[in-house]
Amino acid sequence: MTNVVITGTGLFTPEHTIDNDALVAAFNAWVDAENARCAEAIAAGEREPLQRSSTDFIVKASGIHSRHVLDAEGILDPERMRPRLRERSNDEPSLQCEMGATAARQALEHAGVAAGDIDLVIVGCSNLERPYPAVAVELQALLGAGGYAFDMNVACSSATFAIETAANAIRAGNATRALVVNPEICSAHLNFRDRDSHFIFGDACTAIVLERDDLATAEARFEILGTRLVTRFSNAIRNNAGFLNRVTDSDPQALDKLFVQEGRRVFKEVCPLVAALISDHLASLDHSGDDLARMWLHQANRHMNDLIARRVLGRDPSEQEAPVILDRYANTSSAGSIIAFHLHRDDLAPGALGVICSFGAGYSAGSVVVTRA
């Protein structure tokens, strides 16, 4: 069996930051304007007034304090409340390709690998900016990588699903080195006028280099002991934007063309699913939660992560055991668990066991068990 190792990671973080206070101020300005506009209907009991948001509400609900975004001005404009991004010409690198290149070059440098030595590129994320040509093929060309490339979408689980796909390709001899990239522009599919979710997402891009262990030269490496994936259909998290919208004559601005979820249902159904996935995966590798030094979990909600870690470990996790980055990055979909891994792995001793786990719409969840080599 060919051993596969992770030898490098990279992170692109947008320069714009929005803290909760600024986000709430913009949201409440829009709420006040809407309530004033509909004052007669509200007074007549024909509609309920919109509720204002607050920083305390956001922190209590999610643990999020701020987020990085590609454009803050458009989001904070109560008349717009969505990012303002420039359309790229066909001769320019696409936005996700550009993000991916920044993260990928950092990951390649850490791994000590030249782009030309990569023979598989996978771009996995919740939303791709176009159906074709694949962003992965564009990124492959921009970097000068070889082999083949393709896009995939398993929502927030895209990174772990892509890691398994890349690791399997290497084990099968179809690739020697792979690059997994997760360019998430979550602010573009978020409804900033929905009180229950306007604070959830941020933007970021991660990259991971995977190699055959016998070819790797990086001193710091993590061997992949095993991967396990699970999917279960659910409508609780959904985005109905798609190419059929124009032929079904649906409203392209309708709320369901953006991120929508039933938060309490998701919490109730996903947490046990993910905890069981991790525990069963560890057991199949003759390990248990007691053996884990680190859990790099999907960064969607602090309460979800705490509950999942508690079920796997059998006790409350420490900040070191289950590091949190969503407080300053918010939910970055598939990139979240990889950001946590990127920022919180160097202190682990050789032989230390960890799990990278992401989960989200589908439902979908992926577990990648690694050990510090």
Side-chain angles (χ1 to χ4, degrees):
M1 176 69 73
T2 299
N3 291 332
V4 179
V5 290
I6 296 172
T7 55
T9 58
L11 171 62
F12 165 77
T13 300
E15 61 178 309
H16 295 181
T17 303
I18 300 177
D19 64 18
N20 288 345
D21 288 344
L23 193 69
V24 166
F27 178 84
N28 287 346
W30 173 77
V31 165
D32 292 344
E34 279 295 291
N35 285 340
R37 186 177 67 84
C38 302
E40 291 186 7
I42 293 172
E46 297 172 359
R47 64 176 292 170
E48 293 294 320
L50 297 173
Q51 290 186 322
R52 300 176 109 230
S53 186
S54 72
T55 291
D56 289 343
F57 162 72
I58 293 173
V59 174
K60 182 177 181 180
S62 66
I64 296 169
H65 292 266
S66 65
R67 70 282 299 145
H68 297 276
V69 294
L70 291 177
D71 174 68
E73 184 179 359
I75 294 170
L76 297 178
D77 179 358
E79 299 293 326
R80 182 177 175 86
M81 299 188 77
R82 63 184 187 277
R84 183 178 284 104
L85 304 176
R86 180 180 66 83
E87 184 176 8
R88 304 292 178 94
S89 73
N90 291 343
D91 296 325
E92 294 179 279
S94 67
L95 187 50
Q96 287 184 313
C97 178
E98 189 174 81
M99 295 166 66
T102 299
R105 287 173 178 135
Q106 187 181 133
L108 291 167
E109 181 179 356
H110 288 170
V113 171
D117 293 328
I118 296 291
D119 44 23
L120 170 59
V121 178
I122 304 176
V123 167
C125 56
S126 289
N127 289 277
L128 291 154
E129 62 183 278
R130 61 171 183 269
Y132 47 81
V135 174
V137 177
E138 181 188 11
L139 179 60
Q140 175 194 28
L142 182 64
L143 293 174
Y148 63 107
F150 59 90
D151 295 342
M152 64 185 297
N153 180 350
V154 201
C156 294
S157 302
S158 295
T160 48
F161 275 61
I163 288 172
E164 180 185 82
T165 303
N168 286 343
I170 293 172
R171 293 188 185 104
N174 295 325
T176 56
R177 296 181 177 91
L179 178 66
V180 170
V181 180
N182 313 108
E184 294 287 5
I185 310 177
C186 301
S187 62
H189 73 95
L190 179 57
N191 182 1
F192 285 97
R193 291 175 175 170
D194 177 15
R195 180 179 181 270
D196 291 334
S197 64
H198 75 110
F199 52 87
I200 289 179
F201 289 109
D203 302 329
C205 180
T206 51
I208 313 150
V209 174
L210 298 89
E211 303 182 73
R212 274 175 32 187
D213 189 32
D214 60 326
L215 297 178
T217 60
E219 182 176 340
R221 63 184 76 175
F222 285 79
E223 181 183 349
I224 297 177
L225 300 183
T227 57
R228 182 169 290 190
L229 312 176
V230 64
T231 55
R232 180 184 301 168
F233 184 74
S234 171
N235 275 318
I237 312 173
R238 197 171 183 103
N239 183 331
N240 287 331
F243 80 103
L244 289 180
N245 295 157
R246 64 184 292 270
V247 297
T248 57
D249 298 327
S250 57
D251 179 4
Q253 302 300 322
L255 298 183
D256 71 327
K257 304 305 185 291
L258 300 171
F259 167 83
V260 291
Q261 75 166 354
E262 300 174 46
R264 292 180 181 176
R265 179 182 164 195
V266 170
F267 186 95
K268 181 179 179 180
E269 295 175 349
V270 169
C271 289
L273 173 71
V274 174
L277 171 69
I278 297 173
S279 296
D280 292 347
H281 190 195
L282 288 170
S284 73
L285 298 169
D286 296 323
H287 287 289
S288 69
D290 291 336
D291 300 323
L292 284 176
R294 186 91 10 115
M295 300 178 72
W296 301 283
L297 297 175
H298 173 50
Q299 303 288 311
N301 181 287
R302 178 64 185 265
H303 304 300
M304 293 184 75
N305 283 17
D306 286 346
L307 178 56
I308 291 167
R310 191 179 307 121
R311 290 194 175 190
V312 173
L313 299 175
R315 54 178 171 76
D316 289 336
S318 68
E319 290 285 351
Q320 290 72 35
E321 290 172 314
V324 174
I325 59 92
L326 70 87
D327 54 345
R328 58 195 187 279
Y329 275 88
N331 183 347
T332 51
S333 192
S334 67
S337 59
I338 309 304
I339 296 174
F341 178 70
H342 175 77
L343 296 176
H344 297 279
R345 70 164 192 262
D346 291 342
D347 62 316
L348 291 182
L353 191 73
V355 59
I356 304 169
C357 183
S358 56
F359 42 88
Y363 297 126
S364 62
S367 170
V368 180
V369 176
V370 299
T371 185
R372 176 71 183 260

